[in-house]
Amino acid sequence: MADDSDPLKQYRALLEKQKGQLKNAKAYKGQKPSALMRRSRWELKQEFSLAASEMRGLWQGGRMVLSSFIGEAYPPCTRPLSSLVPIPIRDLALETQHRGRVLIVKTFAEPNRMTSIQNAVEDELGDVARLAIYNLLPTVAPDDILPLGAVVAVKEPYYKCTADGGLIVRVDHPSDFVALKPGSNIIPPRLAPDTIELGLSALSIKEDGNTAFKRNEWQLAIEHYSDALEADGLEGNGDLWRTLHRNRAGAHLRLGHYELAIADALAAIIPAEDDASEAAKDVNIKALYRAGRAAYEMGDFLQAKQHFKQALEVDTNHREARAELIRTEKRLAEQENGGYNFPAMAKSATKQHPRLDHASFLKNTEIASAGQRGRGLFATKDLKPGDVVFVEKAFQATHPKDSGDMSVLINVNTDRISMGTPSLRLYSIVDKLLWNPTLAKKYLDLFDGGKFGSSKGDAEVVDGKVAVDTFQVQSIADFNGFSCPRVKSSDKEEGGEKHNDYKTSTGIWLQASYANHSCLQNAAGAFIGDMMVVRALRDLRAGDEILMRYVGPIEPCAGRQKRMRNLYDFECDCALCQAEAKVPGPAVEKRARLRREIDAFLSANPLDDDTVWTVPAAKKAKGRRLLEGVRETYHPEELFRRLPRFDCVTIGLWVGVSALAGRPNDELGRFLSVLRDMGYFVAIQGGNATIDRGSAIIAPSAIHAAMYAGRVLAAMGNQGPASALGALARDLYIAMFGVDEGFEAEFGSAA
């Protein structure tokens, strides 16, 4: 019987329902809606009044689950508002994007928000419709976007049928929405405000902006400062003009509009030849400080350093600029030589502060062609196992507690359901790209599935915002997103594979996104806060491709390939997958059966400090039989001679641990066999050990096996190999968790 409480099943059913509704809606493509489909002005007003009342009750009731649908993709408008031709509601055709047109409407109800911000609107002919703006940050209030009486422009409107049989103008690209200011010459007379404040001075408007600024109403402050800058009689380079730019820079900085903040701050600087007074110096320091802070937040530390140094040239005793310069120089040092204090970094990461203040170190890698793989990441120098390949700060990391509500994204284009942070991540990235063209260009350069043609990599600014294609943004996130722990990998939270997991935090790391997949990865990433630390797992030569794992080896080969086809649209061709493809069908079936038996056996017979010494002989014998049986499935033997046999690992480790206190040589052989099954080929000759990691897989089992083998060797008095295996275990722990914090507490010492 189906479990109706399973949310994934419920949302899968919702996805199928939405796909059916979309298919039915397409039958109306290009048609005008019938009279039965239209709502009257009174009906819409009542509908929104009721919705607002219901929403207040829901919000007061606590945490909500917000479901949002990504419909059929269409491109954003890349033309300025001034070039578009107005279109009335009555001329809109269903399931159609009206290229080259603009819809100008006025709201007449109380706005509401579920997964979009909506309101009822009317045009100059008196026709009405619903308007919905999607993909905005959850923190944006409906009254900030579609307040009662606002006049707005929708560029190249998309008119759709809704599930309830109604009609809606749907805006998926926030850059397609423009709030019009009172007095705009494109507002039709019938929609113009009844009263317009005339003759307000720039100084008066500025004070309104300052009031909003003090209330942390940053967007409102920006609007007031912008209005003041456009006021009649304001000089283009006077003190008030510069003050408005400087103040607006501060508001932009707080909203994450970094490039606009820099432009405003630099516009506010008073040339020394115009005014060398102390007052002029003071305002210049404020402007340069804000420009430096904005550049810092963008990760442009060279530009930030320049602005802070210029501020100190004006006043060498300015404490804030001095402190920021010191901080910036630390980031530049990290960027240049990777000189991180990883233990201190790990201590600084907390649930309250998971976003850390560090720069990325990327000099050991470069992006280049990887042939049929597209682009890839390559080493620029020789690296040894354990060496740092790169350290990268997240472009965007989103955590479950970033919003008080559960968010679900249902994508009918890809048949994917993303629960939790992936949907919140989309809104954050869209907002970041809208206002920062340089960052947008970097993000849009990532692989997007090849469905967006010539728009790839573009970051065109139109009407003051980047024309962001949210469908492309989401596609890039699907292909390049990582799941990650909220704080750090050593907290043992699930995370780190390059896919979306609704139970964890998720993020985008730009450089890491260029690393292609291999089940036999040669580098592994760990997370400390929003920093990804990638280390080499084996010897790398300059020019070698960096390969990371998208899907873990715990799944059978067929399952891994299916997941990679579904998630990333490719199949792995690594040596392990090629070997698995040649295993005869009966052996594959036998292994699947034995895997189920092993899982049940291990679940029924866990080993801990109390039970490890009292395992009945019959249980030990059954464990050995299961191990021997699964090893027999790795044939022909020559296929796996130098490859991992992962399905042998967990039962092999159980057999080894359950047989402790036996003969040392037998114990050592069992644990070295586990390492061999993980792809670590250990050769011990006298007091020396060599470890071949050429096809190794990283997992906690390898750490356990190395530590047990090291202890046996130490008990045998062979300290050299014992130390080598202890060092291997520590290397693997650091590669998995970023630091060795907690290693000895969990594993002790091999010696």
Side-chain angles (χ1 to χ4, degrees), residues 388-538:
V388 169
V389 180
F390 64 91
V391 179
E392 184 176 11
K393 183 173 176 63
F395 179 84
Q396 182 68 41
T398 309
H399 305 291
K401 293 185 180 179
D402 286 349
S403 172
D405 302 292
M406 177 65 175
S407 184
V408 180
L409 204 62
I410 301 175
N411 193 335
V412 299
N413 292 313
T414 60
D415 279 357
R416 292 185 185 178
I417 299 171
S418 301
M419 299 177 64
T421 57
S423 54
L424 299 175
R425 181 184 61 196
L426 170 63
Y427 310 142
S428 297
I429 294 175
V430 167
D431 186 72
K432 192 170 192 173
L433 304 189
L434 276 173
W435 306 104
N436 298 288
T438 301
L439 299 180
K441 187 171 180 62
K442 292 179 180 179
Y443 181 86
L444 297 174
D445 189 54
L446 295 177
F447 180 67
D448 59 15
K451 301 177 181 178
F452 295 89
S454 60
S455 67
K456 180 169 174 55
D458 290 346
E460 187 174 355
V461 178
V462 184
D463 293 325
K465 292 186 284 189
V466 176
V468 175
D469 187 333
T470 58
F471 299 100
Q472 184 184 17
V473 170
Q474 180 59 26
S475 183
I476 289 172
D478 282 341
F479 282 105
N480 298 280
F482 287 82
S483 64
C484 58
R486 177 171 177 81
V487 182
K488 48 185 179 286
S489 295
S490 57
D491 292 339
K492 306 294 170 48
E493 296 181 43
E494 185 70 22
E497 293 181 4
K498 194 176 177 184
H499 65 88
N500 293 330
D501 184 340
Y502 71 88
K503 297 178 182 178
T504 69
S505 304
T506 56
I508 298 290
W509 284 261
L510 299 181
Q511 191 84 346
S513 294
Y514 289 99
N516 286 311
H517 164 86
S518 174
C519 299
L520 300 175
Q521 65 191 105
N522 57 25
F527 296 93
I528 303 176
D530 62 346
M531 304 297 294
M532 182 189 293
V533 183
V534 178
R535 287 185 167 88
L537 297 181
R538 56 184 66 101

Side-chain angles (χ1 to χ4, degrees), residues 211-280:
T211 300
F213 194 103
K214 291 174 183 177
R215 293 175 179 169
N216 298 337
E217 297 173 342
W218 315 119
Q219 186 57 48
L220 181 59
I222 288 170
E223 292 171 6
H224 284 311
Y225 294 141
S226 299
D227 289 344
L229 283 165
E230 296 172 5
D232 290 337
L234 182 66
E235 295 182 18
N237 59 359
D239 289 344
L240 179 56
W241 185 86
R242 292 191 178 96
T243 298
L244 289 165
H245 277 289
R246 186 174 61 254
N247 291 358
R248 193 169 67 175
H252 278 308
L253 178 59
R254 285 160 175 80
L255 284 176
H257 305 170
Y258 302 125
E259 297 190 52
L260 292 174
I262 292 170
D264 269 339
L266 296 182
I269 293 174
I270 304 172
E273 58 270 21
D274 292 352
D275 189 345
S277 67
E278 291 302 315

Side-chain angles (χ1 to χ4, degrees), residues 530-550:
D530 62 346
M531 304 297 294
M532 182 189 293
V533 183
V534 178
R535 287 185 167 88
L537 297 181
R538 56 184 66 101
D539 287 325
L540 294 171
R541 302 290 298 272
D544 284 351
E545 186 174 2
I546 307 301
L547 299 171
M548 297 174 69
R549 190 173 70 203
Y550 295 4

Side-chain angles (χ1 to χ4, degrees), residues 197-210:
E197 292 182 307
L198 299 175
L200 290 177
S201 69
L203 184 60
S204 173
I205 303 173
K206 173 212 159 193
E207 291 306 316
D208 290 339
N210 289 349

Side-chain angles (χ1 to χ4, degrees), residues 360-373:
S360 298
F361 171 67
L362 309 175
K363 288 180 64 176
N364 289 348
T365 61
E366 65 180 0
I367 301 162
S369 172
Q372 292 183 343
R373 294 174 178 264

Side-chain angles (χ1 to χ4, degrees), residues 90-101:
R90 65 182 58 175
D91 287 347
L92 295 176
L94 292 172
E95 305 303 318
T96 300
Q97 182 187 22
H98 298 79
R99 306 292 282 176
R101 310 300 295 273

